[in-house]
Coordinates of all heavy atoms in Angstrom, one line a residue:
M23 N 0.9 -1.2 0.0 CA 0.0 0.0 0.0 C 0.9 1.2 0.0 O 1.8 1.3 0.8 CB -0.9 0.0 1.2 CG -1.9 1.2 1.3 SD -2.9 1.1 2.8 CE -4.1 0.0 2.3
R24 N 0.6 2.2 -0.9 CA 1.3 3.4 -0.9 C 1.0 4.4 0.3 O -0.1 4.2 0.9 CB 1.1 4.2 -2.2 CG 1.4 3.4 -3.5 CD 1.4 4.3 -4.7 NE 0.3 5.3 -4.7 CZ -0.8 5.2 -5.4 NH1 -1.0 4.1 -6.1 NH2 -1.7 6.1 -5.3
V25 N 1.9 5.3 0.5 CA 1.7 6.2 1.6 C 0.4 7.0 1.5 O -0.4 7.2 2.4 CB 2.9 7.2 1.8 CG1 2.6 8.2 2.8 CG2 4.1 6.4 2.2
D26 N 0.2 7.5 0.3 CA -1.0 8.3 0.1 C -2.3 7.5 0.2 O -3.3 8.0 0.7 CB -1.0 9.0 -1.3 CG -0.9 8.0 -2.5 OD1 -0.4 7.0 -2.3 OD2 -1.5 8.4 -3.5
E27 N -2.2 6.2 -0.1 CA -3.4 5.3 0.2 C -3.6 5.1 1.7 O -4.8 5.1 2.1 CB -3.2 4.0 -0.5 CG -3.2 4.1 -2.0 CD -2.8 2.8 -2.7 OE1 -2.0 2.0 -2.1 OE2 -3.3 2.5 -3.8
K28 N -2.5 5.0 2.4 CA -2.7 4.9 3.9 C -3.2 6.2 4.5 O -4.1 6.1 5.4 CB -1.3 4.6 4.5 CG -0.8 3.2 4.3 CD 0.5 3.0 5.1 CE 1.0 1.6 5.0 NZ 2.2 1.3 5.8
I29 N -2.8 7.3 4.0 CA -3.2 8.6 4.5 C -4.7 8.8 4.3 O -5.5 9.3 5.1 CB -2.5 9.8 3.9 CG1 -1.0 9.8 4.5 CG2 -3.1 11.1 4.2 CD1 -0.1 10.8 3.8
A30 N -5.2 8.3 3.1 CA -6.6 8.4 2.7 C -7.5 7.6 3.7 O -8.7 7.9 3.7 CB -6.8 8.0 1.3
L31 N -6.9 6.7 4.4 CA -7.7 5.9 5.3 C -7.9 6.6 6.7 O -8.8 6.2 7.5 CB -7.1 4.5 5.6 CG -7.0 3.6 4.4 CD1 -6.2 2.3 4.8 CD2 -8.4 3.2 3.9
D32 N -7.1 7.6 7.0 CA -7.2 8.3 8.3 C -8.5 9.0 8.4 O -9.0 9.5 7.4 CB -6.0 9.2 8.5 CG -4.7 8.4 8.5 OD1 -4.7 7.3 8.9 OD2 -3.6 9.0 8.1
A33 N -8.9 9.2 9.7 CA -10.1 10.0 10.0 C -9.7 11.3 10.7 O -8.7 11.3 11.4 CB -11.0 9.2 10.8
F34 N -10.4 12.3 10.4 CA -10.1 13.6 11.0 C -11.3 14.2 11.6 O -12.4 14.1 11.1 CB -9.6 14.6 9.9 CG -8.3 14.1 9.3 CD1 -8.4 13.4 8.1 CD2 -7.1 14.4 9.8 CE1 -7.2 12.9 7.5 CE2 -5.9 14.0 9.2 CZ -6.0 13.3 8.0
R35 N -11.1 14.8 12.8 CA -12.2 15.6 13.4 C -11.7 17.0 13.5 O -10.8 17.3 14.3 CB -12.6 15.0 14.8 CG -13.8 15.8 15.4 CD -14.5 15.0 16.4 NE -15.6 15.7 17.0 CZ -15.7 16.1 18.2 NH1 -14.8 15.7 19.1 NH2 -16.7 16.8 18.6
Q36 N -12.2 17.9 12.7 CA -11.7 19.2 12.5 C -12.1 20.1 13.7 O -13.3 20.2 14.0 CB -12.1 19.8 11.2 CG -11.6 21.2 11.0 CD -10.1 21.3 11.0 OE1 -9.5 20.3 10.6 NE2 -9.6 22.5 11.3
D37 N -11.2 20.8 14.3 CA -11.5 21.7 15.4 C -11.9 23.1 14.7 O -11.4 23.4 13.7 CB -10.2 21.9 16.2 CG -10.4 22.6 17.5 OD1 -11.5 23.2 17.7 OD2 -9.5 22.6 18.4
S38 N -12.7 23.8 15.4 CA -13.1 25.1 14.9 C -11.9 26.1 15.0 O -11.9 27.1 14.3 CB -14.4 25.6 15.6 OG -14.1 25.7 17.0
E39 N -11.1 25.8 16.0 CA -9.9 26.7 16.2 C -8.7 26.1 15.4 O -8.4 24.9 15.6 CB -9.5 26.7 17.7 CG -10.5 27.4 18.6 CD -10.4 28.9 18.4 OE1 -9.3 29.4 18.3 OE2 -11.4 29.6 18.3
P40 N -8.1 26.9 14.5 CA -6.9 26.4 13.8 C -5.8 26.1 14.8 O -5.5 26.9 15.7 CB -6.6 27.5 12.8 CG -7.2 28.7 13.4 CD -8.4 28.3 14.2
H41 N -5.1 25.0 14.6 CA -4.0 24.7 15.5 C -2.7 25.0 14.9 O -1.6 24.9 15.5 CB -4.0 23.2 15.9 CG -3.7 22.2 14.8 ND1 -4.7 21.9 13.9 CD2 -2.6 21.5 14.5 CE1 -4.1 21.0 13.1 NE2 -2.9 20.8 13.4
I42 N -2.7 25.6 13.7 CA -1.5 26.1 13.0 C -1.8 27.5 12.5 O -2.8 27.7 11.8 CB -1.0 25.2 11.9 CG1 -0.8 23.7 12.3 CG2 0.3 25.7 11.3 CD1 -0.5 22.8 11.2
R43 N -0.9 28.4 12.8 CA -1.1 29.8 12.3 C 0.3 30.2 11.8 O 1.3 29.8 12.3 CB -1.5 30.7 13.4 CG -3.0 30.5 13.9 CD -3.4 31.6 14.8 NE -4.8 31.6 15.1 CZ -5.3 30.9 16.1 NH1 -4.6 30.1 16.9 NH2 -6.6 30.9 16.3
L44 N 0.2 31.1 10.7 CA 1.5 31.5 10.1 C 1.7 33.0 10.4 O 0.7 33.8 10.4 CB 1.4 31.3 8.6 CG 1.2 29.9 8.1 CD1 1.2 29.9 6.6 CD2 2.3 29.0 8.7
R45 N 2.9 33.4 10.7 CA 3.3 34.8 10.9 C 3.6 35.3 9.5 O 4.8 35.1 9.0 CB 4.4 34.9 11.9 CG 4.1 34.4 13.2 CD 5.2 34.6 14.2 NE 4.9 34.1 15.5 CZ 5.2 32.9 16.0 NH1 5.8 32.0 15.2 NH2 4.8 32.5 17.2
Q46 N 2.7 36.0 8.8 CA 2.9 36.4 7.4 C 4.0 37.3 7.2 O 4.7 37.3 6.2 CB 1.6 37.0 6.9 CG 0.5 35.9 6.7 CD 0.8 34.9 5.6 OE1 1.6 35.1 4.7 NE2 0.1 33.8 5.7
E47 N 4.3 38.1 8.2 CA 5.4 39.1 8.1 C 6.8 38.3 8.0 O 7.7 38.9 7.4 CB 5.4 40.1 9.3 CG 5.9 39.5 10.6 CD 4.8 38.8 11.4 OE1 3.7 38.5 10.8 OE2 5.0 38.4 12.6
R48 N 6.8 37.1 8.5 CA 8.1 36.3 8.3 C 8.0 35.5 7.0 O 9.1 35.2 6.5 CB 8.2 35.4 9.5 CG 8.4 36.2 10.8 CD 8.8 35.3 12.0 NE 8.8 36.0 13.2 CZ 9.2 35.5 14.4 NH1 9.6 34.3 14.5 NH2 9.1 36.3 15.5
C49 N 6.8 35.1 6.6 CA 6.7 34.3 5.4 C 7.0 35.2 4.1 O 7.6 34.7 3.1 CB 5.3 33.7 5.3 SG 5.0 32.5 6.5
A50 N 6.6 36.4 4.1 CA 6.6 37.2 2.9 C 8.0 37.3 2.3 O 8.2 37.1 1.1 CB 6.1 38.6 3.2
P51 N 9.1 37.5 3.1 CA 10.4 37.6 2.5 C 11.1 36.2 2.5 O 12.3 36.2 2.1 CB 11.2 38.5 3.5 CG 10.5 38.3 4.8 CD 9.1 37.9 4.5
C52 N 10.5 35.1 2.8 CA 11.1 33.8 2.8 C 11.4 33.4 1.4 O 10.6 33.2 0.6 CB 10.2 32.8 3.5 SG 10.8 31.1 3.5
P53 N 12.7 33.1 1.1 CA 13.1 32.7 -0.3 C 12.9 31.2 -0.6 O 12.7 30.9 -1.8 CB 14.6 33.0 -0.3 CG 15.1 32.9 1.1 CD 13.9 33.2 2.0
D54 N 12.9 30.3 0.4 CA 12.9 28.9 0.1 C 11.5 28.3 0.2 O 11.2 27.4 -0.6 CB 13.9 28.2 0.9 CG 13.8 28.5 2.4 OD1 13.0 29.4 2.7 OD2 14.5 27.9 3.2
R55 N 10.7 28.7 1.1 CA 9.4 28.2 1.3 C 9.3 26.7 1.3 O 8.6 26.1 0.6 CB 8.5 28.8 0.2 CG 8.5 30.3 0.3 CD 7.4 31.0 -0.4 NE 7.2 32.4 0.1 CZ 6.4 33.2 -0.4 NH1 5.6 32.9 -1.4 NH2 6.3 34.4 0.1
V56 N 10.2 26.2 2.2 CA 10.3 24.7 2.3 C 9.0 24.1 2.8 O 8.7 22.9 2.5 CB 11.5 24.4 3.2 CG1 11.2 24.8 4.7 CG2 11.8 22.9 3.1
C57 N 8.1 24.8 3.5 CA 6.9 24.3 3.9 C 6.0 23.8 2.8 O 5.2 22.8 3.0 CB 6.1 25.3 4.7 SG 5.8 26.8 3.8
L58 N 6.2 24.3 1.6 CA 5.4 23.9 0.4 C 5.8 22.5 0.0 O 5.0 21.8 -0.7 CB 5.6 24.9 -0.7 CG 5.1 26.3 -0.5 CD1 5.5 27.2 -1.7 CD2 3.6 26.3 -0.3
R59 N 7.0 22.0 0.4 CA 7.5 20.8 -0.1 C 7.5 19.7 1.0 O 7.5 18.5 0.7 CB 8.9 20.9 -0.6 CG 9.0 21.9 -1.8 CD 10.4 21.9 -2.4 NE 11.4 22.2 -1.5 CZ 11.8 23.5 -1.2 NH1 11.2 24.5 -1.8 NH2 12.8 23.7 -0.4
V60 N 7.6 20.0 2.3 CA 7.8 19.0 3.3 C 6.5 18.4 3.8 O 6.5 17.3 4.4 CB 8.6 19.5 4.5 CG1 10.0 20.0 4.1 CG2 7.8 20.6 5.2
C61 N 5.4 19.1 3.7 CA 4.1 18.6 4.3 C 3.6 17.3 3.6 O 3.3 17.4 2.4 CB 3.0 19.6 4.3 SG 1.5 19.0 4.9
P62 N 3.5 16.2 4.3 CA 3.1 14.9 3.6 C 1.6 15.0 3.2 O 1.2 14.3 2.3 CB 3.3 13.9 4.6 CG 3.3 14.6 6.0 CD 3.9 15.9 5.7
G63 N 0.9 15.9 3.7 CA -0.5 16.1 3.4 C -0.7 17.1 2.3 O -1.9 17.3 1.8
G64 N 0.4 17.8 1.9 CA 0.2 18.9 0.9 C -0.7 20.0 1.3 O -1.5 20.5 0.5
L65 N -0.6 20.4 2.6 CA -1.6 21.3 3.1 C -1.1 22.8 3.0 O -1.9 23.7 3.3 CB -1.8 21.0 4.6 CG -2.3 19.6 4.9 CD1 -2.5 19.3 6.4 CD2 -3.6 19.3 4.1
Y66 N 0.1 23.0 2.6 CA 0.6 24.4 2.4 C 0.5 24.7 0.9 O 0.7 23.9 0.0 CB 2.1 24.5 2.8 CG 2.3 24.6 4.3 CD1 2.2 23.5 5.1 CD2 2.5 25.8 4.9 CE1 2.4 23.6 6.5 CE2 2.6 25.9 6.3 CZ 2.6 24.8 7.0 OH 2.7 24.9 8.4
S67 N 0.1 26.0 0.7 CA -0.1 26.4 -0.7 C 0.1 27.9 -0.8 O 0.2 28.6 0.2 CB -1.5 26.1 -1.2 OG -2.5 26.7 -0.4
L68 N 0.1 28.4 -2.0 CA 0.2 29.9 -2.2 C -1.2 30.4 -2.7 O -1.8 29.8 -3.6 CB 1.3 30.2 -3.3 CG 2.7 29.8 -2.9 CD1 3.6 30.1 -4.1 CD2 3.2 30.6 -1.7
A69 N -1.6 31.5 -2.0 CA -2.9 32.1 -2.5 C -2.7 32.6 -3.9 O -1.7 33.2 -4.2 CB -3.3 33.2 -1.5
E70 N -3.7 32.4 -4.7 CA -3.6 32.8 -6.1 C -3.4 34.3 -6.3 O -2.5 34.7 -7.1 CB -4.9 32.4 -6.9 CG -4.8 31.0 -7.5 CD -6.0 30.7 -8.3 OE1 -6.5 31.6 -9.0 OE2 -6.3 29.5 -8.4
T71 N -4.1 35.1 -5.6 CA -4.0 36.5 -5.9 C -2.9 37.2 -5.1 O -2.1 37.9 -5.7 CB -5.4 37.2 -5.6 OG1 -5.8 36.8 -4.2 CG2 -6.4 36.8 -6.5
S72 N -2.9 36.9 -3.8 CA -1.9 37.6 -3.0 C -0.5 37.0 -3.0 O 0.5 37.6 -2.7 CB -2.4 37.7 -1.6 OG -2.4 36.4 -1.0
G73 N -0.4 35.7 -3.3 CA 0.8 34.9 -3.2 C 1.2 34.6 -1.8 O 2.3 34.0 -1.6
E74 N 0.3 34.9 -0.8 CA 0.6 34.5 0.6 C 0.7 33.0 0.7 O -0.1 32.3 0.1 CB -0.4 35.1 1.5 CG -0.3 36.5 1.8 CD -1.3 37.0 2.9 OE1 -2.2 36.2 3.2 OE2 -1.1 38.1 3.4
V75 N 1.5 32.6 1.7 CA 1.5 31.2 2.0 C 0.3 30.9 2.9 O 0.1 31.6 3.9 CB 2.8 30.8 2.7 CG1 2.8 29.3 3.2 CG2 4.0 31.1 1.9
R76 N -0.4 29.8 2.6 CA -1.5 29.4 3.4 C -1.3 28.0 3.9 O -0.6 27.2 3.3 CB -2.8 29.4 2.5 CG -3.1 30.8 2.0 CD -3.8 31.6 3.1 NE -3.9 33.0 2.7 CZ -4.8 33.6 1.9 NH1 -5.7 32.8 1.3 NH2 -4.8 34.9 1.6
V77 N -2.0 27.7 5.0 CA -2.0 26.3 5.5 C -3.4 25.9 5.8 O -4.2 26.7 6.4 CB -1.1 26.1 6.7 CG1 -1.5 27.0 7.9 CG2 -1.0 24.6 7.1
E78 N -3.8 24.7 5.4 CA -5.1 24.1 5.7 C -5.0 23.1 6.8 O -4.3 22.1 6.7 CB -5.6 23.4 4.4 CG -6.9 22.6 4.6 CD -8.0 23.5 5.1 OE1 -8.3 24.5 4.4 OE2 -8.6 23.2 6.2
C79 N -5.6 23.5 8.0 CA -5.4 22.6 9.2 C -6.2 21.3 9.0 O -5.8 20.3 9.7 CB -5.9 23.4 10.4 SG -4.8 24.7 10.8
S80 N -7.3 21.3 8.3 CA -8.0 20.1 8.1 C -7.1 19.1 7.3 O -6.6 19.4 6.3 CB -9.3 20.4 7.3 OG -10.0 19.2 7.0
G81 N -7.0 17.9 7.8 CA -6.1 16.9 7.2 C -4.7 16.9 7.7 O -3.9 16.1 7.2
C82 N -4.4 17.7 8.7 CA -3.1 17.7 9.3 C -2.8 16.3 10.0 O -3.6 15.8 10.8 CB -3.0 18.8 10.3 SG -1.3 18.9 11.1
L83 N -1.6 15.8 9.7 CA -1.2 14.5 10.3 C -0.5 14.7 11.6 O 0.0 13.7 12.2 CB -0.3 13.8 9.2 CG -1.0 13.5 7.9 CD1 0.0 13.1 6.8 CD2 -2.1 12.4 8.1
E84 N -0.3 15.9 12.0 CA 0.4 16.2 13.3 C 1.8 15.7 13.4 O 2.2 15.3 14.4 CB -0.5 15.7 14.5 CG -1.9 16.3 14.4 CD -2.9 15.7 15.4 OE1 -2.4 15.1 16.4 OE2 -4.1 15.8 15.2
C85 N 2.5 15.7 12.2 CA 3.8 15.2 12.2 C 4.9 16.2 12.6 O 6.0 15.8 13.0 CB 4.2 14.7 10.8 SG 4.2 16.0 9.5
G86 N 4.6 17.5 12.5 CA 5.5 18.5 12.9 C 6.6 18.8 11.9 O 7.5 19.6 12.2
S87 N 6.5 18.2 10.7 CA 7.6 18.5 9.7 C 7.7 19.9 9.3 O 8.8 20.5 9.1 CB 7.3 17.6 8.5 OG 7.3 16.3 8.8
C88 N 6.5 20.6 9.2 CA 6.5 22.0 8.8 C 7.2 22.8 9.9 O 8.0 23.7 9.6 CB 5.1 22.5 8.5 SG 3.9 22.2 9.9
L89 N 6.9 22.6 11.2 CA 7.4 23.3 12.3 C 8.9 23.2 12.3 O 9.7 24.1 12.5 CB 6.8 22.8 13.6 CG 7.3 23.5 14.9 CD1 6.9 25.0 14.9 CD2 6.7 22.8 16.1
S90 N 9.4 22.0 12.2 CA 10.9 21.7 12.4 C 11.6 22.2 11.1 O 12.9 22.4 11.2 CB 11.1 20.2 12.6 OG 10.7 19.5 11.6
S91 N 11.0 22.4 10.0 CA 11.8 22.8 8.8 C 11.7 24.3 8.5 O 12.5 24.8 7.7 CB 11.2 22.0 7.6 OG 9.9 22.4 7.4
C92 N 10.9 25.0 9.2 CA 10.8 26.5 9.0 C 11.8 27.1 9.9 O 11.6 27.3 11.1 CB 9.4 27.0 9.3 SG 9.3 28.8 9.2
I93 N 12.9 27.6 9.3 CA 14.0 28.2 10.1 C 13.7 29.6 10.4 O 14.4 30.2 11.2 CB 15.4 28.1 9.3 CG1 15.3 28.9 8.0 CG2 15.8 26.7 9.1 CD1 16.6 29.1 7.3
R94 N 12.6 30.2 9.9 CA 12.3 31.6 10.3 C 11.3 31.7 11.5 O 11.0 32.8 11.9 CB 11.6 32.2 9.1 CG 12.6 32.5 8.0 CD 12.0 33.1 6.7 NE 13.1 33.6 5.9 CZ 13.3 34.8 5.6 NH1 12.6 35.8 6.2 NH2 14.3 35.2 4.9
G95 N 10.9 30.5 12.0 CA 10.1 30.6 13.2 C 8.7 31.2 12.9 O 8.1 31.9 13.7
A96 N 8.2 31.0 11.7 CA 7.0 31.6 11.2 C 5.7 30.9 11.6 O 4.7 31.3 11.4 CB 7.0 31.9 9.7
I97 N 5.9 29.6 12.1 CA 4.8 28.8 12.3 C 4.5 28.7 13.8 O 5.3 28.2 14.6 CB 5.1 27.4 11.7 CG1 5.3 27.5 10.2 CG2 3.9 26.4 12.0 CD1 5.7 26.2 9.6
D98 N 3.3 29.1 14.1 CA 2.8 28.9 15.5 C 2.0 27.6 15.5 O 0.9 27.5 14.9 CB 1.9 30.1 15.8 CG 1.3 30.0 17.2 OD1 1.7 29.1 18.0 OD2 0.5 30.9 17.6
W99 N 2.5 26.6 16.1 CA 2.0 25.2 16.0 C 1.7 24.6 17.3 O 2.5 24.7 18.3 CB 3.1 24.3 15.3 CG 2.7 23.0 14.8 CD1 2.5 22.7 13.5 CD2 2.5 21.8 15.5 NE1 2.1 21.4 13.3 CE2 2.2 20.8 14.5 CE3 2.6 21.4 16.8 CZ2 1.9 19.5 14.9 CZ3 2.3 20.1 17.2 CH2 2.0 19.1 16.2
S100 N 0.5 24.0 17.4 CA 0.2 23.2 18.6 C -0.6 22.0 18.2 O -1.1 22.0 17.0 CB -0.6 24.0 19.6 OG -1.8 24.4 19.0
Y101 N -0.7 21.0 19.1 CA -1.7 19.9 18.8 C -3.1 20.4 18.8 O -3.4 21.4 19.6 CB -1.5 18.8 19.7 CG -0.2 18.0 19.5 CD1 0.9 18.1 20.3 CD2 -0.2 17.1 18.4 CE1 2.1 17.4 20.1 CE2 1.0 16.3 18.2 CZ 2.1 16.5 19.0 OH 3.2 15.8 18.7
P102 N -4.0 19.8 18.1 CA -5.4 20.2 18.2 C -5.9 19.9 19.6 O -5.3 19.1 20.3 CB -6.1 19.3 17.2 CG -5.0 18.8 16.3 CD -3.8 18.8 17.0
R103 N -6.9 20.5 20.0 CA -7.5 20.3 21.3 C -7.9 18.8 21.5 O -8.2 18.1 20.4 CB -8.7 21.2 21.5 CG -8.3 22.7 21.6 CD -9.5 23.5 21.9 NE -10.5 23.5 20.9 CZ -11.7 24.0 21.0 NH1 -12.0 24.7 22.1 NH2 -12.6 23.9 20.0
G104 N -8.1 18.4 22.7 CA -8.5 17.0 22.9 C -9.8 16.7 22.2 O -10.8 17.4 22.2
G105 N -9.8 15.5 21.6 CA -11.0 15.0 20.9 C -11.0 15.4 19.4 O -11.8 15.0 18.6
F106 N -10.0 16.3 19.0 CA -9.9 16.7 17.6 C -8.6 16.2 17.0 O -7.7 15.8 17.7 CB -10.0 18.3 17.5 CG -11.3 18.9 18.0 CD1 -11.4 19.4 19.3 CD2 -12.4 18.9 17.2 CE1 -12.6 19.9 19.7 CE2 -13.6 19.4 17.6 CZ -13.7 19.9 18.9
G107 N -8.6 16.3 15.7 CA -7.4 16.0 14.9 C -7.5 14.6 14.2 O -8.5 14.1 14.0
V108 N -6.3 14.1 14.0 CA -6.2 12.9 13.2 C -6.4 11.6 14.0 O -6.0 11.6 15.2 CB -4.8 12.8 12.4 CG1 -3.7 12.7 13.4 CG2 -4.8 11.7 11.4
R109 N -7.0 10.6 13.4 CA -7.1 9.3 14.0 C -6.5 8.3 13.0 O -7.1 8.2 11.9 CB -8.5 9.0 14.4 CG -8.6 7.6 15.1 CD -9.9 7.6 16.0 NE -11.0 8.3 15.3 CZ -12.0 7.6 14.8 NH1 -12.0 6.3 14.7 NH2 -13.1 8.3 14.2
Y110 N -5.3 7.8 13.3 CA -4.7 6.9 12.3 C -5.3 5.6 12.2 O -5.7 5.0 13.3 CB -3.2 6.8 12.7 CG -2.4 8.0 12.3 CD1 -2.1 8.9 13.3 CD2 -1.9 8.2 11.1 CE1 -1.3 10.0 13.0 CE2 -1.1 9.3 10.7 CZ -0.8 10.2 11.7 OH -0.1 11.3 11.4
R111 N -5.4 5.0 11.0 CA -6.0 3.7 10.9 C -5.1 2.7 10.2 O -5.5 1.5 10.1 CB -7.3 3.9 10.0 CG -8.4 4.6 10.7 CD -9.6 4.8 9.9 NE -10.7 5.2 10.7 CZ -11.9 5.6 10.1 NH1 -12.0 5.7 8.8 NH2 -12.9 6.0 10.9
A112 N -3.9 3.2 9.7 CA -3.1 2.2 9.0 C -1.6 2.3 9.5 O -0.7 2.1 8.7 CB -3.2 2.4 7.5
G113 N -1.4 2.7 10.7 CA -0.1 2.8 11.3 C 0.7 4.0 10.8 O 0.2 4.8 10.1
Ligands
LIG217 S1 6.2 28.9 6.9 FE1 8.4 29.1 7.1 S2 9.2 28.0 5.3 FE2 7.0 28.5 4.9 S3 7.0 30.4 3.8 FE3 6.7 30.9 6.0 S4 8.8 31.3 6.7 FE4 9.0 30.2 4.8
LIG218 S1 2.2 19.0 11.0 FE1 2.8 17.7 9.2 S2 0.8 17.3 8.2 FE2 0.4 19.0 9.6 S3 0.7 20.8 8.3 FE3 2.7 20.4 9.3 S4 3.8 19.1 7.8 FE4 1.6 19.1 7.2

């Protein structure tokens, strides 16, 4: 089974409060934007009009890859509140 097939089996309960926030003033001058490449869920993207970096909290695997790879400290990251977030089903 491929990784994306395993991820597709996971269940998510989305919190109304985002558990990841970006400090746009730090993202704007970022030249590498590694967050766009490291997220296994592909949850980081660029807004079409503004070009701002965006993150979609729904579908977060809570792996922390984005947090550990952003050397600018632009990511305010915490686990979702109790009862919310990912429930793994395939290890
Ligand atoms: S989250 Fe970090 S790596 Fe991504 S654009 Fe912002 S500063 Fe750059
Ligand atoms: S914690 Fe992992 S899955 Fe969630 S947004 Fe960051 S890199 Fe993506």
Side-chain angles (χ1 to χ4, degrees):
M23 182 182 278
R24 299 194 320 259
V25 172
D26 60 330
E27 291 173 330
K28 287 186 175 183
I29 290 174
L31 294 175
D32 295 332
F34 299 91
R35 184 160 179 240
Q36 180 60 27
D37 194 349
S38 58
E39 290 289 317
H41 68 282
I42 304 172
R43 290 186 171 89
L44 301 179
R45 299 181 179 96
Q46 289 295 339
E47 72 279 8
R48 297 187 187 186
C49 292
C52 177
D54 48 358
R55 302 198 160 175
V56 67
C57 57
L58 298 173
R59 301 189 299 277
V60 299
C61 177
L65 303 179
Y66 282 80
S67 62
L68 294 176
E70 266 186 38
T71 50
S72 66
E74 279 188 347
V75 178
R76 298 280 168 82
V77 60
E78 172 57 58
C79 291
S80 175
C82 177
L83 299 165
E84 301 169 26
C85 66
S87 300
C88 53
L89 179 64
S90 60
S91 63
C92 175
I93 60 170
R94 291 179 166 248
I97 301 175
D98 181 7
W99 195 102
S100 62
Y101 284 106
R103 294 184 296 172
F106 295 99
V108 65
R109 186 153 39 102
Y110 284 98
R111 289 179 166 167

